[in-house]
Amino acid sequence: MEDKKEFKHISVLYDEVLENLNIRKNKIYVDCTLGGAGHSNGICERLENTGRLIGIDQDKDAIKAATERLSKYTNVTIVRSNYENFKNIISDNGIEKVDGILMDLGVSSYQLDEASRGFSYMSDASLDMRMDDRSPLSAKVIVNTYSESDLFRVIRDYGEEAFAKNIAKHIVAERQKKEIETTFELVEIIKNSIPAKIRMNSKSHPAKKTFQAIRIECNHELAVLENTIDEMINSLENNGRLCIISFHSLEDRIVKNHFRKAENPCECPARFPVCVCGKKPLGKCVSNKPILPTDEEMEANSRSKSAKLRVFERIIR
């Protein structure tokens, strides 16, 4: 059997993240999506022993790689979990408030390139797509058990796929003949669901949006993000910062809306001369527009092209 690839991931917006976390050498930081520990290693280099890093990831391969990479530091705690458990994790480590939080919402290069994980439409493998292999919900379960209407909803909403209805219809028809087991079987179904003229004129792979949608559903990615941002903002010390890197419009919209609401939570009608709802700002968006990769980074790492970094600073008045 071929050995698994080494866990590699090029940290996107590396310099921008470290700058915007505003790292202070004796403070506490949390990397909620540890991955190969690229960003975390940069954070640790800027901390003294009185500072601390908590690293969280649900992927066992990421945990192994990060543990090895950060083994030279004595002020690091690594936890295998989903960042939805953020509050309990810091509490279990005797921490109430932190000074910086990072979330990199991208799928790692390792996860995409390791065929056996089933994330990629470019390699034939068992349909999986789980970031945490302890989860009972896999892409195979979704494709073979979801109703046609639920498949349509997932592919339309999470993939923003124009041919979602036809793809869902074809998946259901094909699985009645036999169980859909591999990525290439699903790719073929998707290709047959999209008009040839559209496929030929498209710059992207015909399965890209559907695979994205199924991966998001499989890992509850948007729901976890939606339910966690406010909790993280409230867990920041004064002048602490939350940095979130997103890779598609659905994620970025959630981040942008939560940050704007935290900056301006007032619910009073516009006609009111003064605020009477009593809701106070929790801080400020560090920039109104997202921070994007440089041209040099996009040329060196094509997977960075869709990355957007948004930063929120907690201000306690």
Side-chain angles (χ1 to χ4, degrees):
M1 183 181 292
E2 185 181 348
D3 290 339
K4 280 193 170 185
K5 295 180 177 70
E6 180 185 351
F7 196 107
K8 290 184 178 179
H9 181 59
I10 301 171
S11 297
V12 172
L13 291 160
Y14 177 84
D15 293 331
E16 292 83 352
V17 163
L18 295 180
E19 178 186 346
N20 281 279
L21 273 175
N22 193 25
I23 299 166
R24 288 158 286 172
K25 58 188 178 182
N26 60 346
K27 299 297 184 179
I28 302 171
Y29 297 86
V30 183
D31 186 344
C32 292
T33 48
L34 189 56
H39 289 117
S40 278
N41 188 67
I43 294 170
C44 288
E45 287 177 345
R46 288 157 176 77
L47 294 178
E48 291 185 348
N49 286 336
T50 50
R52 188 172 181 187
L53 173 76
I54 309 291
I56 305 168
D57 207 295
Q58 59 186 327
D59 188 311
K60 66 180 181 182
D61 295 328
I63 291 291
K64 181 175 182 292
T67 300
E68 292 174 2
R69 184 167 189 179
L70 301 177
S71 60
K72 60 187 174 183
Y73 301 107
T74 59
N75 54 347
V76 175
T77 301
I78 295 176
V79 181
R80 185 184 179 192
S81 185
N82 189 302
Y83 68 77
E84 67 180 331
N85 301 313
F86 166 85
K87 191 67 177 176
N88 288 336
I89 291 168
I90 64 170
S91 178
D92 289 346
N93 282 276
I95 300 167
E96 183 181 355
K97 301 281 187 179
V98 301
D99 301 278
I101 304 168
L102 169 64
M103 285 197 285
D104 177 349
L105 303 176
V107 181
S108 73
S109 298
Y110 170 85
Q111 289 167 330
L112 289 171
D113 295 339
E114 178 56 48
S116 65
R117 301 297 296 271
F119 283 99
S120 177
Y121 42 79
M122 301 299 289
S123 302
D124 196 19
S126 177
L127 275 171
D128 194 329
M129 300 195 198
R130 292 174 297 172
M131 292 181 179
D132 187 340
D133 64 5
R134 300 169 296 185
S135 170
L137 184 64
S138 67
K140 185 176 178 181
V141 171
I142 293 169
V143 167
N144 287 288
T145 67
Y146 274 31
S147 67
E148 184 175 334
S149 61
D150 281 341
L151 284 170
F152 166 59
R153 172 188 56 80
V154 167
I155 298 168
R156 177 198 62 192
D157 293 352
Y158 297 161
E160 299 179 297
E161 169 59 70
F163 296 95
K165 192 171 187 66
N166 211 31
I167 292 169
K169 177 182 175 182
H170 277 75
I171 287 173
V172 171
E174 289 300 318
R175 76 187 189 195
Q176 288 173 351
K177 302 174 188 175
K178 66 173 287 295
E179 187 176 54
I180 302 166
E181 299 183 64
T182 70
T183 52
F184 275 7
E185 286 176 2
L186 180 58
V187 167
E188 197 61 28
I189 294 167
I190 296 167
K191 284 181 178 178
N192 292 334
S193 306
I194 300 173
K197 186 176 180 180
I198 301 292
R199 289 202 319 268
M200 290 169 62
N201 291 330
S202 176
K203 293 180 180 179
S204 62
H205 193 284
K208 181 178 181 179
K209 293 180 178 179
T210 299
F211 268 62
Q212 171 185 290
I214 294 171
R215 189 203 79 223
I216 289 172
E217 174 71 11
C218 181
N219 296 288
H220 310 296
E221 294 174 37
L222 297 184
V224 171
L225 179 64
E226 185 86 58
N227 295 332
T228 313
I229 294 177
D230 294 346
E231 187 174 66
M232 290 184 176
I233 290 173
N234 283 304
S235 297
L236 288 170
E237 293 277 15
N238 190 36
N239 300 126
R241 289 187 171 187
L242 171 57
C243 295
I244 304 180
I245 304 173
S246 64
F247 286 83
H248 56 76
S249 59
L250 298 173
E251 292 172 338
D252 183 58
R253 193 177 307 139
I254 291 171
V255 176
K256 178 177 67 175
N257 290 341
H258 276 266
F259 281 9
R260 286 183 176 175
K261 186 71 173 175
E263 184 177 49
N264 183 21
C266 177
E267 295 178 347
C268 297
R271 66 179 184 275
F272 280 25
V274 294
C275 172
V276 296
C277 72
K279 294 191 174 182
K280 303 297 183 185
L282 297 177
K284 64 178 183 180
C285 299
V286 172
S287 63
N288 289 325
K289 292 185 177 181
I291 299 164
L292 305 178
T294 61
D295 292 340
E296 291 78 13
E297 178 173 5
M298 288 190 283
E299 187 175 340
N301 177 18
S302 62
R303 287 173 179 167
S304 72
K305 290 181 178 178
S306 58
K308 294 180 178 180
L309 170 63
R310 291 188 185 271
V311 184
F312 188 86
E313 181 174 339
R314 182 81 162 98
I315 299 174
I316 299 173
R317 292 177 172 83

